[in-house]
Amino acid sequence: MGSNNNNKMEPPQPTPLDNIDFESDEEESPLTLSQSFHFETTTTTTSSHMKSQMFRKLHSTAFHSVYIVLFKAKINVLLPFGPLAVLLHYLTGSHGWVFFFSLLGIAPLAERLGYATEQLACYTGNTVGGLLNATFGNATEMIISIYALKNGMIRVVQQSLLGSILSNMLLVLGCAFFTGGIVHYPKVQRFNQTAAIVSSGLLLMAVMGILFPAVLHFTHTEVHFGKSELALSRFSSCVMLVAYASYLFFQLKSHANLYDSVDEERENNGDDSDDEEAPEITMWEAIAWLTILTLWVSVLSGYLVDAIQGASDSWNMPVSFISVILLPIVGNAAEHASAIMFAMKDKLDITLGVAIGSSTQISMFVIPFCVVVGWIMGQPMDLNFQLFETATLFITVLVVAFMLQEGTSNYFKGLMLILCYLIVAASFFVHVDNKSGEYHKSYD
């Protein structure tokens, strides 16, 4: 019984403890509230501090991006000439100076477009990056061509695109071979022979597409005079666009190993492992700069195209020389700089991709694209580049194809290409275009 009584007395024992716990809870509740309030305030201050840090970081990265893109490169000293050209357009009637300053203002923009594309390629990879490099590298030529096409200046479109092909194949590739051969003398530089042969074949196909409308016109063998030539040009342009799309699939998907074989071999040898460079700006910053630079190039291109005829009159210089020689040199500023830089680093595969790849894209995509856009606009843009220009393109493609067939380069090949370009430039300086009465003029 006693044991039972003891067992009965045990249950009430927790009651004081419960009271103590209850009292302690009541006593500690203000402290708990103050602690929670202190925790909330510290959390709030921490989050605000983090926000301010993020804001400062965004501020610093934005300033860093502006510095990298707009101030770091030495060619950016030419950037103020763009706004100056716009001011001269409205303040004076001097088309020569407007054209000259627009030309100077577009040069750094073309180079910066190439830089932003290279930065974006660091995030997208070599395959997509190479395509982006070629596309945005030709953005200047495409924008100038569309503006000129809108104004009905078909010959300017044809000659500027032809000049871009000649500049890339002779001047850009020649300077790259020459500087690379001098820097790495007496070593013989090598590149992917298969890729070069495929590109040469595409360029010859482009010559075929441009040659037949000109031959049809000058032999007077059209079924419907003035209409068959335009219809053939539009049909050939559609075929060339299909061929270029097939080439992209061949290059990027089905036979990508043909284009990567030389690079992989060099990576295995450890030649390029130390030369990999980290991107200087983020992917979204690169996209934003590509948009801003393209818009500014579009604005300046309008003033440039409007001033071409006035510059030709004031300088007593043929429009053909301005269109074929001067405009492409500015438009190819990015390709020129990057091709030489990669050749000096003994990366000739990338050099070929920049110079020959850009020429291939212009001849097989940009020119047919302009024909189709002219078709939509109601402008009679065709592939008849006239006999003189077509012969120049045909001989240039043959010369470059013979230079590339061995898969090697040296400074002498580069020198020959540069001298060929000087002959082409001199030829267009004394050439008068007789097709359009708008630009017909005697330069005695």
Side-chain angles (χ1 to χ4, degrees):
M1 294 289 292
S3 61
N4 292 334
N5 289 335
N6 290 336
N7 292 334
K8 287 179 181 177
M9 291 295 293
E10 287 176 3
Q13 291 178 0
T15 308
L17 292 173
D18 290 341
N19 293 334
I20 291 170
D21 289 342
F22 179 75
E23 290 173 0
S24 64
D25 287 343
E26 288 181 348
E27 290 174 358
E28 290 177 1
S29 59
L31 182 61
T32 307
L33 287 172
S34 64
Q35 285 177 348
S36 64
F37 177 74
H38 179 68
F39 177 75
E40 288 176 0
T41 53
T42 53
T43 305
T44 307
T45 54
T46 304
S47 63
S48 62
H49 181 65
M50 287 175 64
K51 286 179 181 177
S52 63
Q53 274 189 337
M54 287 173 62
F55 181 74
R56 276 196 226 106
K57 189 175 180 181
L58 285 172
H59 232 46
S60 62
T61 53
F63 281 120
H64 175 73
S65 175
V66 170
Y67 167 74
I68 290 293
V69 177
L70 296 183
F71 295 101
K72 188 177 180 182
K74 294 179 181 178
I75 195 173
N76 287 338
V77 297
L78 300 177
L79 282 175
F81 287 108
L84 182 60
V86 177
L87 285 175
L88 286 175
H89 175 79
Y90 291 104
L91 297 178
T92 67
S94 177
H95 292 288
W97 286 110
V98 172
F99 178 83
F100 179 69
F101 286 138
S102 299
L103 212 60
L104 290 180
I106 286 178
L109 296 176
E111 193 275 333
R112 290 288 87 187
L113 271 173
Y115 170 79
T117 308
E118 288 174 5
Q119 293 295 303
L120 186 60
C122 294
Y123 301 97
T124 59
N126 292 333
T127 304
V128 180
L131 182 60
L132 286 173
N133 201 350
T135 303
F136 279 98
N138 293 326
T140 309
E141 290 92 336
M142 287 188 69
I143 293 169
I144 292 175
S145 299
I146 291 173
Y147 266 99
L149 199 59
K150 187 179 178 182
N151 294 337
M153 304 167 73
I154 295 174
R155 289 299 290 155
V156 172
V157 176
Q158 292 177 332
Q159 290 174 341
S160 63
L161 293 178
L162 171 75
S164 186
I165 298 173
L166 299 177
S167 174
N168 274 309
M169 295 180 70
L170 294 178
L171 184 63
V172 175
L173 189 63
C175 289
F177 279 2
F178 182 77
T179 53
I182 293 293
V183 170
H184 295 281
Y185 178 82
K187 174 186 174 182
V188 175
Q189 292 183 292
R190 299 187 178 276
F191 51 84
N192 192 328
Q193 187 177 4
T194 306
I197 291 174
V198 172
S199 297
S200 300
L202 273 176
L203 288 168
L204 285 170
M205 181 181 176
V207 169
M208 179 187 292
I210 293 171
L211 179 66
F212 286 156
V215 172
L216 189 69
H217 175 79
F218 286 100
T219 55
H220 303 287
T221 55
E222 298 176 77
V223 175
H224 302 288
F225 184 75
K227 294 182 179 179
S228 299
E229 171 192 339
L230 185 60
L232 176 62
S233 297
R234 289 169 176 172
F235 176 78
S236 299
S237 296
C238 295
V239 172
M240 290 162 73
L241 289 174
V242 171
Y244 185 71
S246 304
Y247 166 67
L248 290 181
F249 181 79
F250 177 83
Q251 181 186 25
L252 303 179
K253 282 285 183 184
S254 65
H255 287 72
N257 57 324
L258 294 179
Y259 293 85
D260 296 337
S261 57
V262 177
D263 295 333
E264 288 175 0
E265 185 179 326
R266 287 179 178 173
E267 286 176 6
N268 293 333
N269 292 335
D271 292 341
D272 295 339
S273 57
D274 299 331
D275 295 334
E276 295 294 328
E277 297 178 358
E280 295 181 319
I281 58 178
T282 65
M283 183 178 71
W284 290 109
E285 286 172 348
I287 294 173
W289 281 115
L290 281 174
T291 305
I292 294 170
L293 292 171
T294 304
L295 289 175
W296 184 227
V297 168
S298 303
V299 172
L300 279 185
S301 298
Y303 295 99
L304 183 73
V305 170
D306 290 339
I308 286 179
Q309 185 60 46
S312 174
D313 295 335
S314 60
W315 294 349
N316 196 29
M317 188 180 291
V319 175
S320 58
F321 180 81
I322 293 175
S323 302
V324 177
I325 304 300
L326 295 184
L327 286 181
I329 287 178
V330 174
N332 293 334
E335 288 96 333
H336 211 143
S338 57
I340 292 174
M341 178 187 68
F342 287 126
M344 293 175 68
K345 292 181 178 180
D346 199 19
K347 298 180 179 180
L348 277 191
D349 291 314
I350 305 179
T351 298
L352 257 336
V354 171
I356 302 300
S358 181
S359 299
T360 304
Q361 189 179 65
I362 291 173
S363 58
M364 294 296 292
F365 173 72
V366 179
I367 291 177
F369 176 76
C370 287
V371 173
V372 174
V373 169
W375 191 1
I376 296 170
M377 287 181 177
Q379 298 286 352
M381 169 78 181
D382 56 19
L383 294 178
N384 179 13
F385 279 49
Q386 300 299 295
L387 212 53
F388 185 82
E389 287 89 342
T390 306
T392 305
L393 177 63
F394 180 57
I395 295 170
T396 298
V397 170
L398 284 181
V399 169
V400 174
F402 276 111
M403 294 284 187
L404 298 180
Q405 66 179 351
E406 294 178 353
T408 61
S409 80
N410 50 58
Y411 76 92
F412 182 65
K413 285 185 177 180
L415 181 61
M416 282 194 290
L417 292 176
I418 295 172
L419 294 178
C420 287
Y421 187 74
L422 292 179
I423 295 175
V424 170
S427 301
F428 277 98
F429 190 76
V430 296
H431 171 64
V432 177
D433 182 24
N434 291 322
K435 182 179 181 182
S436 177
E438 183 181 358
Y439 299 119
H440 178 67
K441 183 177 179 182
S442 177
Y443 294 89
D444 294 328

